[in-house]
PDB file of all heavy atoms in Angstrom:
ATOM      1  N   ILE Q 101     -17.944   7.891  11.021  1.00 97.00           N
ATOM      2  CA  ILE Q 101     -18.298   9.140  11.722  1.00 97.00           C
ATOM      3  C   ILE Q 101     -19.329   8.915  12.828  1.00 97.00           C
ATOM      4  O   ILE Q 101     -19.611   9.796  13.634  1.00 97.00           O
ATOM      5  CB  ILE Q 101     -18.845  10.211  10.750  1.00 97.00           C
ATOM      6  CG1 ILE Q 101     -20.085   9.733  10.044  1.00 97.00           C
ATOM      7  CG2 ILE Q 101     -17.772  10.656   9.775  1.00 97.00           C
ATOM      8  CD1 ILE Q 101     -20.874  10.892   9.408  1.00 97.00           C
ATOM      9  N   SER Q 102     -19.887   7.663  12.942  1.00 95.00           N
ATOM     10  CA  SER Q 102     -20.949   7.431  13.872  1.00 95.00           C
ATOM     11  C   SER Q 102     -20.528   7.631  15.320  1.00 95.00           C
ATOM     12  O   SER Q 102     -21.341   7.977  16.166  1.00 95.00           O
ATOM     13  CB  SER Q 102     -21.538   6.017  13.685  1.00 95.00           C
ATOM     14  OG  SER Q 102     -20.519   5.066  13.899  1.00 95.00           O
ATOM     15  N   ASN Q 103     -19.285   7.429  15.602  1.00 94.00           N
ATOM     16  CA  ASN Q 103     -18.829   7.473  16.942  1.00 94.00           C
ATOM     17  C   ASN Q 103     -18.107   8.797  17.282  1.00 94.00           C
ATOM     18  O   ASN Q 103     -17.402   8.915  18.279  1.00 94.00           O
ATOM     19  CB  ASN Q 103     -17.847   6.288  17.201  1.00 94.00           C
ATOM     20  CG  ASN Q 103     -18.140   5.648  18.521  1.00 94.00           C
ATOM     21  OD1 ASN Q 103     -19.178   5.933  19.141  1.00 94.00           O
ATOM     22  ND2 ASN Q 103     -17.210   4.816  18.987  1.00 94.00           N
ATOM     23  N   LEU Q 104     -18.318   9.805  16.398  1.00 97.00           N
ATOM     24  CA  LEU Q 104     -17.551  11.013  16.552  1.00 97.00           C
ATOM     25  C   LEU Q 104     -18.476  12.146  16.997  1.00 97.00           C
ATOM     26  O   LEU Q 104     -19.588  12.270  16.540  1.00 97.00           O
ATOM     27  CB  LEU Q 104     -16.963  11.436  15.197  1.00 97.00           C
ATOM     28  CG  LEU Q 104     -15.733  10.739  14.659  1.00 97.00           C
ATOM     29  CD1 LEU Q 104     -15.388  11.334  13.292  1.00 97.00           C
ATOM     30  CD2 LEU Q 104     -14.550  10.898  15.601  1.00 97.00           C
ATOM     31  N   LYS Q 105     -17.920  13.040  17.822  1.00 97.00           N
ATOM     32  CA  LYS Q 105     -18.624  14.287  18.157  1.00 97.00           C
ATOM     33  C   LYS Q 105     -17.688  15.391  17.718  1.00 97.00           C
ATOM     34  O   LYS Q 105     -16.501  15.411  18.122  1.00 97.00           O
ATOM     35  CB  LYS Q 105     -18.905  14.347  19.655  1.00 97.00           C
ATOM     36  CG  LYS Q 105     -19.965  15.282  20.068  1.00 97.00           C
ATOM     37  CD  LYS Q 105     -20.409  14.969  21.481  1.00 97.00           C
ATOM     38  CE  LYS Q 105     -21.196  16.055  22.129  1.00 97.00           C
ATOM     39  NZ  LYS Q 105     -22.180  16.778  21.408  1.00 97.00           N
ATOM     40  N   PHE Q 106     -18.181  16.288  16.934  1.00 98.00           N
ATOM     41  CA  PHE Q 106     -17.319  17.368  16.355  1.00 98.00           C
ATOM     42  C   PHE Q 106     -18.048  18.708  16.337  1.00 98.00           C
ATOM     43  O   PHE Q 106     -19.281  18.738  16.333  1.00 98.00           O
ATOM     44  CB  PHE Q 106     -16.812  16.981  14.966  1.00 98.00           C
ATOM     45  CG  PHE Q 106     -17.876  16.357  14.100  1.00 98.00           C
ATOM     46  CD1 PHE Q 106     -18.708  17.108  13.308  1.00 98.00           C
ATOM     47  CD2 PHE Q 106     -18.072  15.002  14.099  1.00 98.00           C
ATOM     48  CE1 PHE Q 106     -19.696  16.553  12.513  1.00 98.00           C
ATOM     49  CE2 PHE Q 106     -19.062  14.390  13.314  1.00 98.00           C
ATOM     50  CZ  PHE Q 106     -19.860  15.180  12.560  1.00 98.00           C
ATOM     51  N   LYS Q 107     -17.267  19.760  16.315  1.00 98.00           N
ATOM     52  CA  LYS Q 107     -17.861  21.095  16.409  1.00 98.00           C
ATOM     53  C   LYS Q 107     -18.027  21.702  15.004  1.00 98.00           C
ATOM     54  O   LYS Q 107     -18.780  22.676  14.841  1.00 98.00           O
ATOM     55  CB  LYS Q 107     -17.010  22.037  17.241  1.00 98.00           C
ATOM     56  CG  LYS Q 107     -16.934  21.582  18.674  1.00 98.00           C
ATOM     57  CD  LYS Q 107     -15.976  22.366  19.437  1.00 98.00           C
ATOM     58  CE  LYS Q 107     -15.733  21.767  20.805  1.00 98.00           C
ATOM     59  NZ  LYS Q 107     -14.428  22.139  21.352  1.00 98.00           N
ATOM     60  N   ALA Q 108     -17.257  21.239  14.020  1.00 98.00           N
ATOM     61  CA  ALA Q 108     -17.379  21.757  12.664  1.00 98.00           C
ATOM     62  C   ALA Q 108     -16.850  20.745  11.718  1.00 98.00           C
ATOM     63  O   ALA Q 108     -15.944  19.925  12.086  1.00 98.00           O
ATOM     64  CB  ALA Q 108     -16.672  23.080  12.466  1.00 98.00           C
ATOM     65  N   VAL Q 109     -17.301  20.749  10.485  1.00 98.00           N
ATOM     66  CA  VAL Q 109     -16.776  19.841   9.435  1.00 98.00           C
ATOM     67  C   VAL Q 109     -16.009  20.693   8.397  1.00 98.00           C
ATOM     68  O   VAL Q 109     -16.441  21.802   8.078  1.00 98.00           O
ATOM     69  CB  VAL Q 109     -17.928  19.154   8.660  1.00 98.00           C
ATOM     70  CG1 VAL Q 109     -17.376  18.110   7.700  1.00 98.00           C
ATOM     71  CG2 VAL Q 109     -18.850  18.491   9.632  1.00 98.00           C
ATOM     72  N   MET Q 110     -14.908  20.200   7.968  1.00 98.00           N
ATOM     73  CA  MET Q 110     -14.122  20.905   6.948  1.00 98.00           C
ATOM     74  C   MET Q 110     -13.938  19.972   5.742  1.00 98.00           C
ATOM     75  O   MET Q 110     -13.460  18.845   5.874  1.00 98.00           O
ATOM     76  CB  MET Q 110     -12.750  21.333   7.503  1.00 98.00           C
ATOM     77  CG  MET Q 110     -12.976  22.297   8.613  1.00 98.00           C
ATOM     78  SD  MET Q 110     -11.520  22.953   9.291  1.00 98.00           S
ATOM     79  CE  MET Q 110     -12.203  23.991  10.564  1.00 98.00           C
ATOM     80  N   LEU Q 111     -14.333  20.489   4.564  1.00 98.00           N
ATOM     81  CA  LEU Q 111     -14.351  19.652   3.377  1.00 98.00           C
ATOM     82  C   LEU Q 111     -13.495  20.340   2.298  1.00 98.00           C
ATOM     83  O   LEU Q 111     -13.469  21.601   2.237  1.00 98.00           O
ATOM     84  CB  LEU Q 111     -15.734  19.447   2.866  1.00 98.00           C
ATOM     85  CG  LEU Q 111     -16.767  18.977   3.860  1.00 98.00           C
ATOM     86  CD1 LEU Q 111     -18.171  19.026   3.234  1.00 98.00           C
ATOM     87  CD2 LEU Q 111     -16.477  17.553   4.281  1.00 98.00           C
ATOM     88  N   SER Q 112     -12.894  19.591   1.459  1.00 94.00           N
ATOM     89  CA  SER Q 112     -12.056  20.135   0.420  1.00 94.00           C
ATOM     90  C   SER Q 112     -12.165  19.259  -0.817  1.00 94.00           C
ATOM     91  O   SER Q 112     -12.444  18.118  -0.706  1.00 94.00           O
ATOM     92  CB  SER Q 112     -10.631  20.209   0.955  1.00 94.00           C
ATOM     93  OG  SER Q 112      -9.771  20.564  -0.065  1.00 94.00           O
ATOM     94  N   THR Q 113     -11.876  19.817  -1.936  1.00 89.00           N
ATOM     95  CA  THR Q 113     -11.728  19.010  -3.134  1.00 89.00           C
ATOM     96  C   THR Q 113     -10.739  19.653  -4.085  1.00 89.00           C
ATOM     97  O   THR Q 113     -10.582  20.850  -4.085  1.00 89.00           O
ATOM     98  CB  THR Q 113     -13.048  18.652  -3.821  1.00 89.00           C
ATOM     99  OG1 THR Q 113     -12.863  17.585  -4.695  1.00 89.00           O
ATOM    100  CG2 THR Q 113     -13.660  19.837  -4.569  1.00 89.00           C
ATOM    101  N   THR Q 114     -10.105  18.832  -4.910  1.00 87.00           N
ATOM    102  CA  THR Q 114      -9.023  19.331  -5.740  1.00 87.00           C
ATOM    103  C   THR Q 114      -9.492  19.663  -7.143  1.00 87.00           C
ATOM    104  O   THR Q 114      -9.768  20.787  -7.497  1.00 87.00           O
ATOM    105  CB  THR Q 114      -7.816  18.375  -5.724  1.00 87.00           C
ATOM    106  OG1 THR Q 114      -8.279  17.059  -5.944  1.00 87.00           O
ATOM    107  CG2 THR Q 114      -7.062  18.430  -4.421  1.00 87.00           C
ATOM    108  N   MET Q 115      -9.593  18.625  -7.976  1.00 93.00           N
ATOM    109  CA  MET Q 115      -9.972  18.871  -9.379  1.00 93.00           C
ATOM    110  C   MET Q 115     -11.373  19.530  -9.408  1.00 93.00           C
ATOM    111  O   MET Q 115     -12.253  19.068  -8.688  1.00 93.00           O
ATOM    112  CB  MET Q 115     -10.084  17.580 -10.211  1.00 93.00           C
ATOM    113  CG  MET Q 115      -8.809  16.781 -10.218  1.00 93.00           C
ATOM    114  SD  MET Q 115      -7.484  17.553 -11.062  1.00 93.00           S
ATOM    115  CE  MET Q 115      -7.982  17.183 -12.734  1.00 93.00           C
TER     116      MET Q 115
END
Side-chain angles (χ1 to χ4, degrees):
I101 63 162
S102 60
N103 224 11
L104 284 178
K105 199 165 163 42
F106 41 89
K107 295 173 190 155
V109 186
M110 297 184 181
L111 309 171
S112 171
T113 194
T114 47
M115 303 292 282

